Amino acid sequence: MKFENVLADINGFGRFQIMIIVISFIGRFTLPCHFMLNNFIAAVPSHHCDISSLDDGGIFRNLSQAERLVVSIPVQEDGTPSSCQMFTEPQYHLLLNLFNVTDLPTVSCQNGWVYDNTTFKSTLTSQWDLVCDRRGKNKATATIFFIGVMFGAMTFGSLSDRFGRRIMLLVSYVSGMLFAVASAFSSSYVMFAVLRFFTGFLKGFFFWRMEWVDVEHRKLVGVIDSLSWTFGNTGFAAIAYFVNDWRWLIVSVTSPLILAIVTWRWMPESARWLIANGKLEQAQVYLKKCASMNGTEELIHTLKTEVSILDRTYSYLDLIQTPKMRKLALRTGILWFCVAITFYGISFNITGFGLNIYLTQFTYAVIELPAKISVYYLLDKIGRRCTEVGSLLLAGILVAVIGKGFSSASFGTLVLYSSELYPTVVRQNGMGYNSFMARLGVAVAPLILLLDDVWKELPQVVLCSTASLGAIVARTLSETRNRCLPETIEDIEQQWRQVDLSNTKDFFFLFLFFCQ
């Protein structure tokens, strides 16, 4: 008996599955908060050199603050005070003549900086003076975090397929919370960087919710999963507005994990994984619990004799040892890389709409809602593959605010799509590998934006080309709409890729849908 048939007997989308979605939603809320955390904790407030050393005890002391800045800080070409330079001594004549200041001797800030605390009470920048010649360290904190996420995804993917999804989720919750809170009380930049790496490393990605849902409702769960990210981003804007100290902001966005840890006790292990690993009695316990909560009386009487059991432990090497599995891993890896570059490249390239940073963060999150809601309709109407391809093409064509919405839609589709493509025995390995490729794309995205020094439009050209490449790769994948999840690698090898000639019509439908 196929596991899909077992789910059909006990109701593949009832109270049991809703419980899983709600519990998962709580834990996932913190992910987008930590991913976008650097926008606020590493924000660079307006600043200038600390000019207290220029106080000669005479005229300088009797000047107003504005006058002190005039005689102490050179003016940049745009008319604003320099952030990194100061005069070697007070230039009192500038109070009468603001011209001919180019030949006056200046030096780098000698006694640190003074920061504007209007928007932020404290940031990493003001805490450790990560400005001017040290601004690279400020940007590095985000890179360090995503490198941690990149390697953590691979590690937790492998461990989840070996030891089970449920226990590794608890490890991720508890250890991730401890490292995150510890990073909030760092006493040095190096300490913060190290703890931030491990915080990212322990932000595990777990995709077994699909393993408890029947074919008919996988789309709904996938979209809800994607929307949890959007809601997390929206809530993050409000949290950041009220908590403007970087240490307490980290604590605030991490605190929901306490509730996630409490509710973990009700999170079931993946019955698919238990069955595939020969733990039939445990699987029966969870399946009976599912049947009880869903109000079905049927028992799974044929399960013990008609189930496939693993005869060995699977690893990342199994993703490349057979021809079709190897092709699948290559294609999805490239696709995740392209989608991540497109999404984060567009996100990082949007400098705002003349709004403050909090409204901008809120707007970025809200932009994703219409696209993701559209995805819910399109996934069944034209399928996963066409939705993914169309979203990427539109994101590449638009590459702006609306393009961010489509790139977000492609990300949401891809998570569902990929989890359906990989077999149960290596699903977490496969998704861990894909997440690794995505985080690699995140690390590359800021470098692409630096290409505007070569040609102003070059970043947009690269992002558009990357999205187009992702669309081409996505077009080569198999459709998974209304199909059972593969259980073993043999299932993948035996599948014959079906070429649907109606896809051309689906593409036209997709473009017409979004153009209405």
Side-chain angles (χ1 to χ4, degrees), residues 99 107 165 180 201 267 285 335 362 469 471 497 514:
F99 303 99
V107 293
R165 281 63 159 144
F201 183 86
M267 178 67 80
V285 171
L335 182 55
F362 178 79
L469 173 61
R497 182 178 179 276
F514 283 114

Side-chain angles (χ1 to χ4, degrees), residues 162-198:
R162 183 170 184 179
F163 299 107
R165 281 63 159 144
R166 187 170 182 265
I167 186 62
M168 296 316 302
L169 179 65
L170 181 62
V171 171
S172 174
Y173 281 169
V174 175
S175 54
M177 183 182 69
L178 292 176
F179 275 99
V181 172
S183 71
F185 297 96
S186 299
S187 58
S188 68
Y189 173 81
V190 173
M191 179 181 176
F192 176 81
V194 172
L195 291 173
R196 193 71 179 139
F197 170 85
F198 283 106

Side-chain angles (χ1 to χ4, degrees), residues 333-399:
I334 294 174
L335 182 55
W336 278 72
F337 180 78
C338 292
V339 169
I341 286 181
T342 304
F343 177 80
Y344 285 100
I346 294 175
S347 300
F348 295 158
N349 200 34
I350 299 176
T351 56
F353 316 115
L355 307 174
N356 67 37
I357 190 172
Y358 304 106
L359 286 177
T360 301
Q361 172 68 28
F362 178 79
T363 304
Y364 287 172
V366 171
I367 285 171
E368 300 177 4
L369 280 173
K372 289 183 176 180
I373 292 173
S374 300
V375 163
Y376 177 77
Y377 172 71
L378 293 171
L379 285 173
D380 275 347
K381 182 66 179 179
I382 64 175
R384 279 66 161 159
R385 179 171 56 190
C386 289
T387 303
E388 183 67 28
V389 173
S391 297
L392 278 171
L393 288 177
L394 289 169
I397 292 171
L398 297 171
V399 188

Side-chain angles (χ1 to χ4, degrees), residues 76-146:
Q76 301 177 113
E77 293 182 1
D78 60 1
T80 60
S82 173
S83 299
C84 303
Q85 296 290 316
M86 60 184 291
F87 293 125
T88 56
E89 58 185 14
Q91 305 296 321
Y92 296 113
H93 65 280
L94 294 178
L95 294 173
L96 302 175
N97 178 16
L98 296 178
F99 303 99
N100 301 321
V101 298
T102 55
D103 295 331
L104 296 177
T106 61
V107 293
S108 299
C109 297
Q110 301 296 297
N111 298 289
W113 289 261
V114 175
Y115 298 90
D116 180 3
N117 295 326
T118 304
T119 304
F120 302 101
K121 181 179 179 181
S122 175
T123 67
L124 296 178
T125 306
S126 60
Q127 183 75 41
W128 292 304
D129 287 335
L130 305 180
V131 292
C132 299
D133 58 342
R134 285 182 280 186
R135 66 183 183 273
K137 289 185 176 181
N138 192 14
K139 296 182 180 296
T141 54
T143 302
I144 290 169
F145 173 78
F146 282 113

Side-chain angles (χ1 to χ4, degrees), residues 237-473:
I239 295 172
Y241 178 78
F242 290 105
V243 185
N244 55 15
D245 180 277
W246 73 270
R247 297 183 187 274
W248 289 110
L249 181 56
I250 293 177
V251 174
S252 298
V253 299
T254 305
S255 58
L257 285 178
I258 298 175
L259 180 58
I261 293 170
V262 172
T263 57
W264 170 86
R265 60 178 297 184
W266 293 289
M267 178 67 80
E269 181 57 90
S270 167
R272 292 179 189 267
W273 180 84
L274 290 171
I275 293 170
N277 284 271
K279 301 180 180 182
L280 301 183
E281 291 185 2
Q282 293 182 46
Q284 284 278 11
V285 171
Y286 285 117
L287 288 168
K288 289 178 181 178
K289 182 178 180 180
C290 176
S292 175
M293 287 189 66
N294 290 347
T296 55
E297 302 299 330
E298 294 83 358
L299 297 177
I300 309 88
H301 56 278
T302 57
L303 179 62
K304 291 188 177 180
T305 58
E306 300 182 48
V307 72
S308 298
I309 301 176
L310 291 181
D311 57 359
R312 63 183 180 87
T313 300
Y314 286 81
S315 69
Y316 284 107
L317 292 178
D318 291 289
L319 298 178
I320 60 174
Q321 287 184 345
T322 55
K324 289 191 177 181
M325 196 72 233
R326 185 162 52 244
K327 290 179 181 179
L328 175 62
L330 175 63
R331 291 169 181 173
T332 59
I334 294 174
L335 182 55
W336 278 72
F337 180 78
C338 292
V339 169
I341 286 181
T342 304
F343 177 80
Y344 285 100
I346 294 175
S347 300
F348 295 158
N349 200 34
I350 299 176
T351 56
F353 316 115
L355 307 174
N356 67 37
I357 190 172
Y358 304 106
L359 286 177
T360 301
Q361 172 68 28
F362 178 79
T363 304
Y364 287 172
V366 171
I367 285 171
E368 300 177 4
L369 280 173
K372 289 183 176 180
I373 292 173
S374 300
V375 163
Y376 177 77
Y377 172 71
L378 293 171
L379 285 173
D380 275 347
K381 182 66 179 179
I382 64 175
R384 279 66 161 159
R385 179 171 56 190
C386 289
T387 303
E388 183 67 28
V389 173
S391 297
L392 278 171
L393 288 177
L394 289 169
I397 292 171
L398 297 171
V399 188
V401 176
I402 304 300
K404 182 180 184 295
F406 285 114
S407 64
S408 175
S410 70
F411 230 140
T413 302
L414 185 57
V415 173
L416 169 65
Y417 193 14
S418 297
S419 66
E420 294 177 335
L421 285 168
Y422 280 87
T424 300
V425 293
V426 291
R427 183 167 293 119
Q428 283 296 136
N429 277 332
M431 296 303 284
Y433 153 73
N434 287 328
S435 185
F436 177 92
M437 294 299 295
R439 304 316 151 204
L440 183 60
V442 175
V444 171
L447 302 180
I448 293 176
L449 301 183
L450 296 177
L451 296 175
D452 60 358
D453 289 338
V454 179
W455 176 39
K456 185 178 180 181
E457 304 301 327
L458 187 54
Q460 283 70 30
V461 172
V462 174
L463 292 176
C464 180
S465 301
T466 302
S468 300
L469 173 61
I472 293 172
V473 174

